[in-house]
Amino acid sequence: MEVAVVGSSEFVVGFRLAGVQKIYAADDEEKLRRYIAAVLEDEEIGILVMESRDLNRVPPRLLSTLENSIRPTVIAIGAQEGRMSLRERIKRSVGVDLWK
Amino acid sequence: MALRDVKPTRSELISIKRRIALSERGYNILKMKRDGLILEFFKVLQQAKESRGALQERYERAMKAIALANTVEGAIAVKAAAFSVRDTPEIAVRSRNIMGVVVPEIESSSVKKSLVDRGYGLLGTSSVIDETADAFEDLLEAIVEAAEIETTMKRLLDEIETTKRRVNALEFKVIPELTEARDFIKMRLDEMEREELFRLKKIKARSPS
């Protein structure tokens, strides 16, 4: 399986340098949405890498799909805001806020 | 099960008693499963925190490196170098079983490459690009590791939630209702027995002896 990267052009070029083939440079929200949909359709992709800054611009419905998606697994890197969802889920499932 | 649906018969009482025993056994087993899952979750959580830290650190390093490369070499040169990299990192996914939860084990190959294998040529580019590529390869490795751990965590959380729901449903809904039904049937049967006894006495009193 492969890794896919969606994000700003600077961000994805770096991953291209590391050898990732499926890179999608999304500058505006419309493109972001389209590329994410394309990645979700692709059976070959096992991990989707995004910047948490971009994740905040995704419409809420798509965002929850991404957060619950297991294949591909979505990894958001960058600032910490993206962690809230997982933290909420831990709180809901275990009953205690265990994150930090 | 509402009380008025319960028929006060002895066979019904026996079957309800059986169901209570079964529910309690299931309840105990599920409770143990829930505790086991939470223990597993604690282990994964520790790993997740560590991998998050590493990821963040490598991300910052990679972003610095690419900004530097863009400045020194120009965005076009960086892109040109990037598009001549041919080796694609492959990831293989296998599955592992934690208490009935299938979690993935992700392994990556050929993420780290030597200078020569990268394919953009050594003469045309400076060491800044090499460093950037190196930083992003590191980042990619961290991402693959984090992906495994986070998927594991999501699956475990889902399983914990359903198990918790089942435990609570048994404890607060199924078992109390069954107990209530059992008590109702017992009372009703006792009552019928007393009525029967009283009736017999009446008949005996009326009959001339």
Side-chain angles (χ1 to χ4, degrees), chain A residues 65-95:
Chain A
T65 317
L66 287 179
E67 270 161 3
N68 294 320
S69 158
I70 285 173
R71 195 184 197 147
T73 305
V74 181
I75 294 288
I77 52 179
Q80 290 290 309
E81 298 114 71
R83 310 308 320 137
M84 284 316 287
S85 58
L86 197 59
R87 193 174 179 170
E88 283 300 310
R89 282 187 66 175
I90 293 172
K91 242 196 230 172
R92 203 181 58 205
S93 307
V94 186

Short mmCIF file of all heavy atoms in Angstrom, two decimals, chain A residues 65-95:
data_model
loop_
_atom_site.label_atom_id
_atom_site.label_comp_id
_atom_site.label_asym_id
_atom_site.label_seq_id
_atom_site.Cartn_x
_atom_site.Cartn_y
_atom_site.Cartn_z
N THR A 65 -15.66 12.09 8.89
CA THR A 65 -15.34 10.88 8.12
C THR A 65 -13.85 10.59 8.22
O THR A 65 -13.43 9.46 8.43
CB THR A 65 -15.68 11.09 6.63
OG1 THR A 65 -16.92 11.74 6.53
CG2 THR A 65 -15.72 9.77 5.90
N LEU A 66 -13.05 11.63 8.08
CA LEU A 66 -11.60 11.46 8.13
C LEU A 66 -11.15 10.97 9.50
O LEU A 66 -10.29 10.10 9.61
CB LEU A 66 -10.90 12.79 7.82
CG LEU A 66 -10.93 13.26 6.37
CD1 LEU A 66 -10.22 14.59 6.25
CD2 LEU A 66 -10.27 12.24 5.47
N GLU A 67 -11.76 11.54 10.54
CA GLU A 67 -11.32 11.18 11.88
C GLU A 67 -11.65 9.73 12.22
O GLU A 67 -10.91 9.07 12.93
CB GLU A 67 -11.96 12.11 12.91
CG GLU A 67 -11.09 13.32 13.14
CD GLU A 67 -11.85 14.45 13.76
OE1 GLU A 67 -13.04 14.27 14.05
OE2 GLU A 67 -11.26 15.52 13.92
N ASN A 68 -12.77 9.24 11.69
CA ASN A 68 -13.14 7.87 12.02
C ASN A 68 -12.61 6.86 11.03
O ASN A 68 -12.78 5.66 11.23
CB ASN A 68 -14.66 7.76 12.11
CG ASN A 68 -15.19 8.57 13.25
OD1 ASN A 68 -14.60 8.59 14.32
ND2 ASN A 68 -16.29 9.26 13.03
N SER A 69 -11.99 7.35 9.98
CA SER A 69 -11.52 6.45 8.95
C SER A 69 -10.33 5.63 9.44
O SER A 69 -9.42 6.15 10.07
CB SER A 69 -11.13 7.27 7.72
OG SER A 69 -10.24 6.54 6.93
N ILE A 70 -10.39 4.34 9.16
CA ILE A 70 -9.28 3.48 9.57
C ILE A 70 -8.45 3.10 8.36
O ILE A 70 -7.24 2.95 8.44
CB ILE A 70 -9.83 2.25 10.31
CG1 ILE A 70 -10.26 2.69 11.71
CG2 ILE A 70 -8.81 1.16 10.41
CD1 ILE A 70 -10.96 1.66 12.49
N ARG A 71 -9.09 2.97 7.23
CA ARG A 71 -8.34 2.70 6.00
C ARG A 71 -8.82 3.65 4.94
O ARG A 71 -9.93 3.47 4.45
CB ARG A 71 -8.58 1.25 5.60
CG ARG A 71 -7.61 0.77 4.58
CD ARG A 71 -7.97 -0.63 4.18
NE ARG A 71 -6.85 -1.24 3.52
CZ ARG A 71 -6.59 -2.54 3.62
NH1 ARG A 71 -7.34 -3.30 4.38
NH2 ARG A 71 -5.61 -3.05 2.95
N PRO A 72 -8.13 4.68 4.56
CA PRO A 72 -6.81 5.04 5.05
C PRO A 72 -6.84 5.68 6.43
O PRO A 72 -7.80 6.33 6.79
CB PRO A 72 -6.35 6.09 4.02
CG PRO A 72 -7.61 6.69 3.54
CD PRO A 72 -8.61 5.60 3.55
N THR A 73 -5.77 5.48 7.17
CA THR A 73 -5.61 6.16 8.44
C THR A 73 -5.16 7.59 8.17
O THR A 73 -4.26 7.80 7.37
CB THR A 73 -4.53 5.48 9.28
OG1 THR A 73 -4.87 4.11 9.42
CG2 THR A 73 -4.42 6.11 10.63
N VAL A 74 -5.82 8.54 8.79
CA VAL A 74 -5.45 9.93 8.55
C VAL A 74 -4.55 10.40 9.68
O VAL A 74 -4.89 10.26 10.86
CB VAL A 74 -6.71 10.81 8.48
CG1 VAL A 74 -6.32 12.25 8.21
CG2 VAL A 74 -7.63 10.31 7.39
N ILE A 75 -3.40 10.91 9.31
CA ILE A 75 -2.47 11.43 10.31
C ILE A 75 -2.34 12.94 10.06
O ILE A 75 -2.00 13.36 8.97
CB ILE A 75 -1.08 10.77 10.17
CG1 ILE A 75 -1.15 9.30 10.50
CG2 ILE A 75 -0.07 11.46 11.06
CD1 ILE A 75 -1.33 9.01 11.95
N ALA A 76 -2.67 13.71 11.07
CA ALA A 76 -2.53 15.16 10.95
C ALA A 76 -1.30 15.57 11.73
O ALA A 76 -1.14 15.20 12.89
CB ALA A 76 -3.76 15.85 11.52
N ILE A 77 -0.42 16.31 11.07
CA ILE A 77 0.75 16.77 11.79
C ILE A 77 0.78 18.28 11.79
O ILE A 77 0.17 18.94 10.97
CB ILE A 77 2.07 16.20 11.22
CG1 ILE A 77 2.17 16.45 9.73
CG2 ILE A 77 2.18 14.74 11.51
CD1 ILE A 77 3.46 15.93 9.14
N GLY A 78 1.50 18.82 12.75
CA GLY A 78 1.55 20.27 12.89
C GLY A 78 1.05 20.67 14.26
O GLY A 78 1.25 19.94 15.23
N ALA A 79 0.38 21.79 14.31
CA ALA A 79 -0.08 22.31 15.60
C ALA A 79 -1.01 21.33 16.29
O ALA A 79 -1.52 20.39 15.70
CB ALA A 79 -0.77 23.65 15.38
N GLN A 80 -1.25 21.57 17.55
CA GLN A 80 -1.92 20.58 18.40
C GLN A 80 -3.45 20.55 18.31
O GLN A 80 -4.06 19.66 18.86
CB GLN A 80 -1.52 20.80 19.86
CG GLN A 80 -0.07 20.44 20.13
CD GLN A 80 0.18 18.94 20.05
OE1 GLN A 80 -0.52 18.16 20.67
NE2 GLN A 80 1.15 18.54 19.25
N GLU A 81 -4.04 21.51 17.64
CA GLU A 81 -5.52 21.59 17.67
C GLU A 81 -6.18 20.31 17.19
O GLU A 81 -7.22 19.92 17.66
CB GLU A 81 -6.03 22.74 16.80
CG GLU A 81 -5.58 24.10 17.25
CD GLU A 81 -4.67 24.70 16.19
OE1 GLU A 81 -5.18 25.07 15.12
OE2 GLU A 81 -3.47 24.81 16.43
N GLY A 82 -5.55 19.67 16.21
CA GLY A 82 -6.13 18.46 15.64
C GLY A 82 -6.32 17.33 16.63
O GLY A 82 -7.04 16.39 16.37
N ARG A 83 -5.70 17.43 17.80
CA ARG A 83 -5.76 16.32 18.74
C ARG A 83 -7.06 16.29 19.54
O ARG A 83 -7.34 15.31 20.19
CB ARG A 83 -4.60 16.39 19.73
CG ARG A 83 -3.25 16.57 19.12
CD ARG A 83 -2.92 15.55 18.04
NE ARG A 83 -3.40 14.22 18.38
CZ ARG A 83 -4.00 13.44 17.49
NH1 ARG A 83 -4.25 13.86 16.28
NH2 ARG A 83 -4.37 12.26 17.84
N MET A 84 -7.80 17.36 19.49
CA MET A 84 -9.00 17.45 20.33
C MET A 84 -9.96 16.28 20.11
O MET A 84 -10.53 15.75 21.04
CB MET A 84 -9.73 18.76 20.07
CG MET A 84 -9.08 19.96 20.71
SD MET A 84 -8.56 19.68 22.39
CE MET A 84 -10.16 19.68 23.19
N SER A 85 -10.10 15.87 18.85
CA SER A 85 -11.11 14.86 18.57
C SER A 85 -10.77 13.54 19.25
O SER A 85 -11.63 12.92 19.88
CB SER A 85 -11.20 14.65 17.07
OG SER A 85 -9.94 14.28 16.59
N LEU A 86 -9.52 13.15 19.14
CA LEU A 86 -9.12 11.88 19.76
C LEU A 86 -9.27 11.97 21.27
O LEU A 86 -9.72 11.04 21.92
CB LEU A 86 -7.67 11.56 19.38
CG LEU A 86 -7.24 10.12 19.61
CD1 LEU A 86 -8.12 9.18 18.80
CD2 LEU A 86 -5.80 9.93 19.23
N ARG A 87 -8.93 13.14 21.78
CA ARG A 87 -9.05 13.35 23.21
C ARG A 87 -10.51 13.23 23.67
O ARG A 87 -10.81 12.61 24.68
CB ARG A 87 -8.54 14.75 23.52
CG ARG A 87 -8.32 14.98 24.97
CD ARG A 87 -7.67 16.32 25.16
NE ARG A 87 -7.48 16.59 26.56
CZ ARG A 87 -6.75 17.60 27.00
NH1 ARG A 87 -6.18 18.40 26.15
NH2 ARG A 87 -6.62 17.80 28.28
N GLU A 88 -11.40 13.81 22.85
CA GLU A 88 -12.83 13.71 23.16
C GLU A 88 -13.28 12.26 23.15
O GLU A 88 -14.07 11.83 23.99
CB GLU A 88 -13.64 14.50 22.11
CG GLU A 88 -13.61 16.00 22.32
CD GLU A 88 -14.18 16.38 23.68
OE1 GLU A 88 -15.28 15.91 24.01
OE2 GLU A 88 -13.51 17.15 24.40
N ARG A 89 -12.78 11.53 22.17
CA ARG A 89 -13.20 10.13 22.06
C ARG A 89 -12.73 9.31 23.24
O ARG A 89 -13.44 8.45 23.74
CB ARG A 89 -12.65 9.52 20.77
CG ARG A 89 -13.45 9.94 19.58
CD ARG A 89 -13.02 9.20 18.37
NE ARG A 89 -13.31 7.78 18.48
CZ ARG A 89 -13.11 6.92 17.49
NH1 ARG A 89 -12.64 7.35 16.36
NH2 ARG A 89 -13.39 5.67 17.64
N ILE A 90 -11.51 9.61 23.70
CA ILE A 90 -11.00 8.89 24.87
C ILE A 90 -11.89 9.21 26.07
O ILE A 90 -12.28 8.32 26.82
CB ILE A 90 -9.55 9.29 25.16
CG1 ILE A 90 -8.64 8.80 24.05
CG2 ILE A 90 -9.09 8.70 26.48
CD1 ILE A 90 -7.23 9.30 24.15
N LYS A 91 -12.24 10.49 26.20
CA LYS A 91 -13.07 10.90 27.32
C LYS A 91 -14.41 10.16 27.29
O LYS A 91 -14.90 9.70 28.30
CB LYS A 91 -13.32 12.41 27.21
CG LYS A 91 -12.77 13.19 28.39
CD LYS A 91 -13.40 14.55 28.39
CE LYS A 91 -12.41 15.66 28.50
NZ LYS A 91 -12.96 16.98 28.33
N ARG A 92 -14.97 10.05 26.08
CA ARG A 92 -16.29 9.44 25.96
C ARG A 92 -16.23 7.93 26.22
O ARG A 92 -17.09 7.37 26.89
CB ARG A 92 -16.84 9.69 24.55
CG ARG A 92 -18.34 9.61 24.49
CD ARG A 92 -18.83 9.84 23.09
NE ARG A 92 -18.23 8.88 22.18
CZ ARG A 92 -18.07 9.08 20.87
NH1 ARG A 92 -18.44 10.22 20.34
NH2 ARG A 92 -17.54 8.17 20.10
N SER A 93 -15.18 7.29 25.69
CA SER A 93 -15.14 5.83 25.78
C SER A 93 -14.67 5.34 27.15
O SER A 93 -15.21 4.39 27.68
CB SER A 93 -14.21 5.25 24.72
OG SER A 93 -14.56 5.72 23.46
N VAL A 94 -13.65 5.97 27.67
CA VAL A 94 -13.09 5.49 28.93
C VAL A 94 -13.74 6.20 30.11
O VAL A 94 -13.85 5.64 31.20
CB VAL A 94 -11.56 5.67 28.94
CG1 VAL A 94 -10.95 5.04 30.17
CG2 VAL A 94 -10.94 5.06 27.70
N GLY A 95 -14.16 7.43 29.90
CA GLY A 95 -14.81 8.16 30.98
C GLY A 95 -13.87 9.09 31.71
O GLY A 95 -14.29 9.88 32.53
#
